[in-house]
């Protein structure tokens, strides 16, 4: 009897966790938030750059999250516009080597998220 109850509880837990993950799939695809400490270490940012990059990244994340509700063929165009805006702002803050590394990370992230 104990085995049956534990099996039932385990099955329900797996089912509920699967259902929860499935419903949040759309939001996580457009979530572009990142660990700023890891990003600043990777890009070797100074304090001024770190503050500016954090502000730009927060703006970009909010803009991408707002695109999660958009449907249809215009999503790709709007994502492209958001990425161009982000790249333009980052280009002002980062030097060439930092910018190249950032763009490599961004493009890889977008490909992994199928955007």
């Amino acid at each position: 009897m104990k085995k049956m109850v534990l099996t039932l509880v385990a099955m329900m837990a797996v089912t509920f966790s699967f259902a929860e993950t499935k419903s949040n799939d759309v939001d996580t695809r457009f979530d572009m938030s990142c660990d700023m400490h890891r990003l600043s270490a990777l890009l070797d940012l100074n304090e001024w750059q770190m503050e500016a990059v954090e502000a730009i990244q927060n703006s970009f994340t909010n803009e991408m999250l707002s695109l999660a509700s958009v449907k249809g063929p215009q999503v790709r165009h709007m994502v492209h516009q958001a990425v161009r805006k982000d790249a333009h702002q980052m280009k002002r803050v980062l030097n060439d080597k930092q910018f190249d590394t950032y763009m490599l990370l961004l493009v890889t992230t977008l490909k992994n998220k199928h955007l």
Side-chain angles (χ1 to χ4, degrees), residues 1-16:
M1 182 71 170
K2 201 175 201 182
K3 267 187 171 179
M4 286 179 24
V5 170
L6 290 175
T7 305
L8 180 64
V9 169
M11 286 177 48
M12 289 177 66
V14 169
T15 304
F16 290 140

Side-chain angles (χ1 to χ4, degrees), residues 50-61:
M50 188 169 173
E51 289 176 12
V53 167
E54 187 171 9
I56 294 168
Q57 186 65 28
N58 288 339
S59 172
F60 179 62
T61 300

Side-chain angles (χ1 to χ4, degrees), residues 39 43 45 48-64 79-96 98-100 102-103 106:
L39 182 63
L43 297 177
L45 301 177
W48 175 82
Q49 286 177 320
M50 188 169 173
E51 289 176 12
V53 167
E54 187 171 9
I56 294 168
Q57 186 65 28
N58 288 339
S59 172
F60 179 62
T61 300
N62 291 336
E63 190 170 354
M64 289 297 288
V79 167
H80 181 71
Q81 284 181 328
V83 170
R84 283 186 56 139
K85 179 181 170 188
D86 179 60
H88 181 71
Q89 291 174 341
M90 287 293 191
K91 183 70 174 167
R92 292 181 183 177
V93 175
L94 303 175
N95 64 33
D96 290 338
Q98 291 170 328
F99 182 73
D100 290 342
Y102 177 77
M103 289 307 294
L106 182 61

